[in-house]
Amino acid sequence: MTEFIIRPGQTVLFQGDSITDGGRGNDPEFDMGFGYPKYISSWLSAKYSEHNINFVNRGISGNRICDLESRWNTDCIDIKPDLVSILIGINDTWRRFDSNSPSDIPEFEACYRRLLYQVKSETGATIIIIEPFVLPSPADRVEWRIDLDPRIQATRRVAADYGAIYIPLDGILAAACARREPAFWAQDGVHPTPAGHALIAQEWIRAVGG
């Protein structure tokens, strides 16, 4: 079993798009949204109450990886996190299909590397990368695999090169769909249901030894 890696008094930062955002309120200092960051922070705060861990959510709905980079100093580096968790990439795929605005995959990978280089060089934080995913609900989401699959491979390369803790979420959710239909986990194939968010939280907590 993995030893719990978050030390007392540390700051955990969640970054990403709407899946991470989870409907955050106007006070980013305290609102964790309704999604997996809320489940994680609530569970670990209860289990390790004496640790006084500081959880921060800076996910923003609609973000692509270029949007993360544009706000990375303010919404990551300046926070001085001890652990940074990132889930990004599905909007880079989605905009290709709904707006004819593709995101170049080599640049996606290069941008991801720039973000992680900053984290390592300026904060020394532990990095968790959550794999982007899409489920076949509705059926037209199957076409998205053409764009998302190579983006997932890029994400895996970046995680390996930077020694990140990696959560293979696309595969985890695919396995979960053998137990229940895809819409049970994410009705539109992208945004998790409460059960989907809980599954992500369980895998995340397992990854940190919690």
Side-chain angles (χ1 to χ4, degrees), residues 55-87:
F55 294 96
V56 180
N57 186 352
R58 288 292 189 275
I60 294 181
S61 181
N63 269 194
R64 296 199 269 187
I65 200 163
C66 61
D67 300 306
L68 252 62
E69 186 169 37
S70 70
R71 60 186 180 83
W72 203 239
N73 285 326
T74 299
D75 282 353
C76 180
I77 304 304
D78 290 352
I79 294 171
K80 297 179 171 54
D82 300 287
L83 188 152
V84 178
S85 174
I86 307 170
L87 170 53

Side-chain angles (χ1 to χ4, degrees), residues 11 37 43 60 68 81 111-112 131 142-143 179 198:
T11 294
W43 177 264
I60 294 181
L68 252 62
C111 186
Y112 221 140
E131 188 172 86
V142 174
E143 183 183 1
R179 306 197 307 269

Side-chain angles (χ1 to χ4, degrees), residues 74-192:
T74 299
D75 282 353
C76 180
I77 304 304
D78 290 352
I79 294 171
K80 297 179 171 54
D82 300 287
L83 188 152
V84 178
S85 174
I86 307 170
L87 170 53
I88 198 72
I90 190 57
N91 287 321
D92 291 86
T93 290
W94 202 338
R95 296 295 85 82
R96 170 180 172 177
F97 294 95
D98 74 350
S99 303
N100 194 27
S101 178
S103 170
D104 180 73
I105 292 171
E107 174 54 24
F108 173 88
E109 181 171 347
C111 186
Y112 221 140
R113 291 179 183 277
R114 292 194 294 270
L115 298 182
L116 298 194
Y117 177 80
Q118 267 195 280
V119 171
K120 285 296 188 183
S121 62
E122 299 185 42
T123 74
T126 298
I127 298 168
I128 295 180
I129 292 180
I130 306 174
E131 188 172 86
F133 69 91
V134 69
L135 299 182
S137 173
D140 66 357
R141 300 295 190 251
V142 174
E143 183 183 1
W144 294 14
R145 307 278 356 164
I146 297 169
D147 187 275
L148 187 64
D149 285 351
R151 209 172 294 282
I152 288 172
Q153 294 304 318
T155 303
R156 291 173 178 173
R157 288 191 296 270
V158 171
D161 289 348
Y162 278 88
I165 297 169
Y166 193 78
I167 299 177
L169 186 58
D170 189 63
I172 290 167
L173 283 167
C177 289
R179 306 197 307 269
R180 287 293 304 265
E181 68 281 4
F184 178 80
W185 306 107
Q187 287 189 335
D188 65 355
V190 173
H191 297 98

